[in-house]
Amino acid sequence: MQWENNQPLSVLFVCLGNICRSPMAEGAFREATLAEGLDVHIDSVGTAGYHIGEPPDPRAIAIAARDGVDIAGLRGRQLSEQDFADFAHIIALDTANMAGIKAREPRGSKAELSLLLDVHGTADGSVADPYYGDESDFEKCWAEINEATGEWVARLKHQIAG
Ligand code: 4NP
């Protein structure tokens, strides 16, 4: 979708459970937009409904807090049809969830669908699910997400300016 300057910038991050990767992406992206002075509507959801209403995984909260990013107040939500109308950019954390997003995409949706890691051309395009891993998996995940969300902010800022 071509960016229009009169539209508020809106970005939705999507993983499976909305308790690990997408809340980390939401927090990291929000931090980066604030640092750039950008006003963006940001949210995250899961394609699955396992953790609706739940806070992020304590390991995700801890790794974000270590960098001063507070995601403890976020609550799990499942991707809905309305999200395709409410968000200009829907960004999947992995290819499996991209497939889940496309399966729910309403006819005529104008939301631009992307993979988070497309921003720097990673071969497989997926941020690995750390849920069944350990703290080091969360650390790797957080680092990967921070780098990519920083690049997304630069890309979107460029779109707004251009
Ligand atoms: P996320 O991780 O998709 O990064 O939030 C997961 C969280 C929960 C489950 C799977 C992945 N689960 O199966 O409950």
Side-chain angles (χ1 to χ4, degrees):
M1 181 174 72
Q2 194 58 41
W3 182 254
E4 292 169 30
N5 280 328
N6 60 349
Q7 288 179 308
L9 188 52
S10 54
V11 179
L12 182 70
F13 294 97
V14 186
C15 64
L16 180 61
N18 192 212
I19 56 166
C20 299
R21 291 165 293 174
S22 63
M24 288 195 273
E26 178 179 350
F29 186 82
R30 180 170 290 118
E31 193 75 7
T33 58
L34 290 174
E36 291 289 341
L38 295 178
D39 182 18
V40 188
H41 175 48
I42 311 163
D43 200 0
S44 63
V45 291
T47 54
Y50 313 135
H51 298 284
I52 294 170
E54 293 179 19
D57 186 289
R59 297 166 295 178
I61 293 174
I63 193 77
R66 209 178 65 179
D67 285 337
V69 178
D70 182 5
I71 61 168
L74 302 181
R75 292 296 178 264
R77 185 166 82 72
Q78 188 173 16
L79 179 67
S80 73
E81 198 164 307
Q82 185 62 39
D83 287 320
F84 290 87
D86 290 346
F87 291 89
H89 294 272
I90 298 181
I91 302 179
L93 274 284
D94 67 18
T95 55
N97 286 295
M98 175 58 95
I101 293 165
K102 285 183 175 164
R104 289 180 179 83
E105 186 180 19
R107 199 177 292 267
S109 164
K110 292 197 174 78
E112 186 175 305
L113 309 185
S114 309
L115 281 164
L116 180 77
L117 297 184
D118 276 356
V119 78
H120 52 216
T122 303
D124 141 296
S126 293
V127 177
D129 182 355
Y131 185 61
Y132 295 104
D134 59 22
E135 212 168 294
S136 71
D137 297 298
F138 275 82
E139 271 184 30
K140 183 165 171 270
C141 188
W142 176 244
E144 205 168 18
I145 283 172
N146 258 289
E147 189 186 339
T149 50
E151 289 180 34
W152 268 100
V153 168
R155 179 193 274 190
L156 295 174
K157 193 177 174 189
H158 184 73
Q159 277 187 25
I160 294 169

